[in-house]
Amino acid sequence: MTDPRPRQRSRIDASAAISVVDLFTVGVGPSSSHTVGPMRAARMFMESLAACPEGITCELFGSLALTGHGHATDTAILLGLCGETPEAVDPENMSARIAAIRAEAVIRFGAWTIPFLESRDLLFCKGDFLEQHSNGMRFSARMAGGETVVREYFSVGGGAVVAGETIDCAGDTAPALGHNLVQPLPFSSGVELLERGEETGLCIGTIVLRNEGAWRTQAETEAFLDTVIDAMHGSIDRGMREEGMLPGGLKVRRRAKAIHARLRAGQEGMQPAAIFEWVSLFALAVNEENAAGGRVVTAPTNGAAGVIPAVLRYYRKFVPGADREGERLLLLTAAAIGFLYKKRASISAAEMGCQGEVGVACSMAAAGLAAVLGGTNAQVENAAEIGMEHNLGLTCDPIGGLVQIPCIERNTMGAVKAINAAYLALQGDGRHIVSLDAVIETMRQTGEDMASRYKETSLGGLAVNVVAC
């Protein structure tokens, strides 16, 4: 099965203003593009209807169709049609909600009750791609009087959703939320980011904080960051407490709890390499929680949800003098780098492969850590570049369409690599041959050249060379 036409990337308008609240969102696993995005799209469609429909159909295309069952896209659509959001849905109650919807064969949205037979009304159109993006959804509502309302939505990465009427055939999406806002220190490239720093004498994290003032007060932004920080640490802690088999049929056992117990038992005689075992544990814990459909932070995607939290916990646990202000600075600096990838390329694995998920998260985390370790803006930019340079070409080939193998362990590697990148950058003075802008453009080109079977379709790579048991 092959993609019938060249896939076009969905690049956000470089002049668009992106906020940290768009980049870091608290939601549920296992996938930002296949779970979080579709849940939001389904709710958006229901909210767009003026009256209760007599019936609803949802068609899934591209990567959503090919790996949607493994990524819980069906579950997300059903919950979204019922008005749930990734931020507010109760992970502990999701299974019961889905079972009730399937048993009753109805969707309940507010006061509306709509017949919905999943086998008839939720269609996985495998092998079919909508022209604008690989993660396409088409919703149809049959209204009283014979009218049919049809709307298309695209999950463009990190849980972000774009309506069909705001995306053109060149692949450029409508500007992000806040496009018309005027930021005091705008930037759309690494060069411009460094220039803003030179002009103002501000570090990268503070530049982002000043720009967030276009939306809200500094106290409100810091409160949001604290919520994200607590959610990240919470996902690590929950992941280290849970055990058992992950859902989906691959028979993957959770390992974080046992590893945590072993590392705690050997803490007194810790060898230098044990620090990296701890970092790997932190990432493993988050991504096992994500694979189980638990509460995680999209950072910048769910498939890469463990990288930044693991580096954040490394900072808290192993860096002397670590504090909450430093944790905020780490996230703000990481966000600056994430903005550039969203504007100049994509964070969607369906477009870029896993270099657009774990690679971007590694780049973001490396920059954030370099900043809190006292790096200059040039060293921070260098750390971000190193983090991506050594993830170029990383494919997305989940076995069975599940965010488990190789995704969980891949996050551990991304976290360790981010720490290495930060310390490498701090050994220099910020001058380097390959710029961050150059490596982002290289990632974009690599993603566009990559065969579609290696981009979250489970049609190539490990997904076909390892038998899913």
Side-chain angles (χ1 to χ4, degrees), residues 53 86 128 132 146 162 188 255 286 317 336 342 387 437:
D128 294 335
Q132 298 95 323
V162 177
S188 59
R255 291 175 284 170
V286 175
K317 184 177 178 66
K342 284 179 71 71
D437 290 336

Side-chain angles (χ1 to χ4, degrees), residues 380-466:
V380 168
E381 186 260 1
N382 190 11
E385 183 277 323
I386 295 171
M388 173 52 72
E389 185 177 338
H390 303 287
N391 279 291
L392 290 173
L394 194 60
T395 60
C396 182
D397 49 358
I399 296 175
L402 297 165
V403 192
Q404 297 179 19
I405 304 173
C407 319
I408 296 173
E409 290 181 355
R410 188 166 284 174
N411 274 256
T412 72
M413 305 304 291
V416 171
K417 196 177 293 186
I419 295 171
N420 192 24
Y423 281 103
L424 275 174
L426 293 175
Q427 293 299 318
D429 60 6
R431 290 179 292 184
H432 51 109
I433 302 300
V434 181
S435 70
L436 176 59
D437 290 336
V439 84
I440 292 175
E441 174 60 15
T442 302
M443 186 201 81
R444 184 193 66 77
Q445 293 176 6
T446 303
E448 291 190 350
D449 290 341
M450 190 182 292
S452 62
R453 64 181 178 274
Y454 296 117
K455 295 191 285 189
E456 209 169 9
T457 59
S458 286
L459 297 176
L462 289 176
V464 298
N465 287 305
V466 177

Side-chain angles (χ1 to χ4, degrees), residues 172-244:
D172 289 335
T173 70
L177 177 67
H179 174 65
N180 294 323
L181 294 177
V182 178
Q183 294 177 310
L185 301 169
F187 60 90
S188 59
S189 68
V191 168
E192 289 181 357
L193 179 58
L194 292 176
E195 287 176 349
R196 297 296 88 78
E198 291 175 1
E199 294 164 0
T200 62
L202 300 175
C203 71
I204 288 172
T206 303
I207 291 171
V208 174
L209 185 60
R210 294 282 179 88
N211 284 339
E212 291 299 308
W215 285 276
R216 67 196 77 81
T217 67
Q218 180 173 327
E220 290 171 327
T221 295
E222 290 177 345
F224 169 78
L225 292 171
D226 289 345
T227 298
V228 170
I229 290 166
D230 291 341
M232 286 182 169
H233 288 302
S235 64
I236 292 174
D237 294 335
R238 285 193 306 276
M240 293 191 300
R241 289 195 303 266
E242 299 296 324
E243 56 187 343

Side-chain angles (χ1 to χ4, degrees), residues 308-379:
I308 294 175
V311 174
L312 187 73
R313 181 63 70 92
Y314 165 82
Y315 167 71
R316 174 183 282 192
K317 184 177 178 66
F318 294 109
V319 176
D323 57 16
R324 180 50 63 102
E325 184 177 349
E327 290 183 306
R328 293 172 185 156
L329 177 63
L330 192 155
L331 288 189
L332 287 166
T333 307
I337 305 306
F339 296 159
L340 296 180
Y341 283 100
K342 284 179 71 71
K343 289 185 177 188
R344 304 181 71 84
S346 171
I347 59 170
S348 169
E351 293 182 292
M352 295 289 115
C354 198
Q355 61 174 358
E357 294 206 30
V358 168
V360 171
C362 177
S363 183
M364 293 170 62
L369 181 60
V372 296
L373 292 176
T376 65
N377 286 351
Q379 289 172 321

Side-chain angles (χ1 to χ4, degrees), residues 23 27 121 168 219 231 275 331 398:
L23 197 65
D121 298 325
D168 63 33
I275 291 178
L331 288 189

